[in-house]
Amino acid sequence: MRILIVEDEPEMRELLGQLLEADGYEVETVSDSAGALAAVAVREPDLVLLDVVLGGEDGRDLLHELRLMGNAPAVFLTGRGLEMDRIAGLRMGADDYIVKPFSPGELSARIANVLRRSRATNVQPRQSESSVSFGDLRIDPLTREVERAGELVELTAKEFDLLAFLASSPRQVFSRQQLLQQVWSSCREWQDEATVTEHIRRVRRKIEQDPDHPRWITTVRGVGYRFEPGAGSPIGYDRRRHLVRAS
Ligand code: CA
């Protein structure tokens, strides 16, 4: 498992690196937001551990940026143990919070716990009979797998949620605001409609043959997006437009 540490103080950065390496993780350390964004884009860490105070930068702004890029869980480090900070941080979308000073045992336990939860939501047993298919696109809500023309498409958790939600109501148009509410459902404070636009772009790049002329997820100008089931009846949908078992 790869962990990215974002901390501007060299001593703390080194200490965190040593502790997590001792736990068997592959560790990369950076000192600022620019370094963090570059590292996430290239290395796709399994978890990001970031300090709330990054010199002149605010770690919460960085977390917002990271959330637009993907779904690696994030753990905040903070020297301020006030309850208000804790709540604000979690509402910002951090998966956990570690207050300095912390013990090595607490760090290990919290990191392991967040990674375990993250794996539990991303990996589920294969039950292919539950999938629904539209032409050569197959969506399986139980295994959270998507195949295009028989090939597995790698989607992040939120990309899958977005596609599955749109596909569960074919041809129904959803505004970005509705999608934020339905797919992201919480943390409205830090999520803006650009989050939806960016995720739509990413999903299209992965499932569309020509992302510039999408066939599955179309834009309804001035309104939002909808899933186009294509010609013929989709397999596995009932009239109530919910995902159901395909026989
Ligand atoms: Ca710091």
Side-chain angles (χ1 to χ4, degrees):
M1 302 293 271
R2 289 190 299 274
I3 296 183
L4 176 67
I5 297 169
V6 191
E7 165 65 276
D8 60 312
E9 294 149 61
E11 280 180 14
M12 178 56 75
R13 196 164 63 229
E14 198 174 323
L15 172 66
L16 288 166
Q18 285 170 357
L19 290 172
L20 292 174
E21 269 172 4
D23 280 347
Y25 299 112
E26 202 180 311
V27 172
E28 184 170 4
T29 59
V30 295
S31 60
D32 57 19
S33 296
L37 293 171
V40 166
V42 176
R43 303 287 305 279
E44 297 190 346
D46 298 293
L47 182 145
V48 182
L49 177 62
L50 69 164
D51 196 4
V52 174
V53 183
L54 295 168
E57 299 177 317
D58 190 330
R60 291 170 296 187
D61 294 336
L62 172 60
L63 181 62
H64 183 138
E65 294 285 318
L66 292 173
R67 286 303 190 218
L68 291 177
M69 296 177 70
N71 285 279
V75 175
F76 264 142
L77 270 171
T78 178
R80 295 170 295 174
L82 292 176
E83 194 61 19
M84 279 304 290
D85 275 353
R86 214 175 254 270
I87 293 164
L90 293 169
R91 201 190 286 148
M92 293 278 305
D95 294 271
D96 203 356
Y97 225 86
I98 298 173
V99 179
K100 297 183 209 171
F102 53 85
S103 69
E106 183 189 1
L107 176 75
S108 293
R110 286 187 183 271
I111 296 286
N113 189 38
V114 169
L115 284 169
R116 195 162 46 237
R117 284 203 315 254
S118 156
R119 279 199 301 274
T121 48
N122 288 327
V123 181
Q124 288 178 22
R126 169 176 277 278
Q127 290 188 28
S128 58
E129 73 277 8
S130 67
S131 69
V132 286
S133 298
F134 303 89
D136 65 358
L137 187 70
R138 189 180 71 82
I139 302 170
D140 189 329
L142 280 186
T143 63
R144 299 177 64 82
E145 285 178 343
V146 172
E147 279 180 11
R148 196 188 74 179
E151 298 219 350
L152 207 57
V153 179
E154 294 276 342
L155 295 178
T156 65
K158 272 290 175 267
E159 288 167 0
F160 180 88
D161 290 343
L162 178 62
L163 174 62
F165 177 77
L166 286 168
S168 70
S169 297
R171 295 199 56 77
Q172 188 173 333
V173 184
F174 295 96
S175 69
R176 291 181 182 82
Q177 199 57 46
Q178 284 172 323
L179 291 171
L180 272 182
Q181 283 163 8
Q182 295 293 326
V183 178
W184 278 265
S185 74
S186 57
C187 309
R188 294 267 305 277
E189 287 80 357
W190 61 273
Q191 281 156 349
D192 52 42
E193 296 185 357
T195 306
V196 178
T197 313
E198 174 61 16
H199 278 77
I200 292 278
R201 194 181 67 80
R202 285 163 178 264
V203 172
R204 279 177 174 159
R205 212 169 53 199
K206 293 177 180 181
I207 66 165
E208 300 284 358
Q209 209 152 28
D210 179 0
D212 293 329
H213 300 93
R215 173 235 181 286
W216 296 113
I217 300 177
T218 56
T219 302
V220 180
R221 213 167 277 281
V223 186
Y225 303 100
R226 71 175 165 207
F227 183 83
E228 302 285 354
S233 299
I235 303 157
Y237 271 80
D238 71 7
R239 283 162 190 265
R240 287 165 302 148
R241 298 173 165 186
H242 289 119
L243 284 170
V244 296
R245 253 160 212 278
S247 52

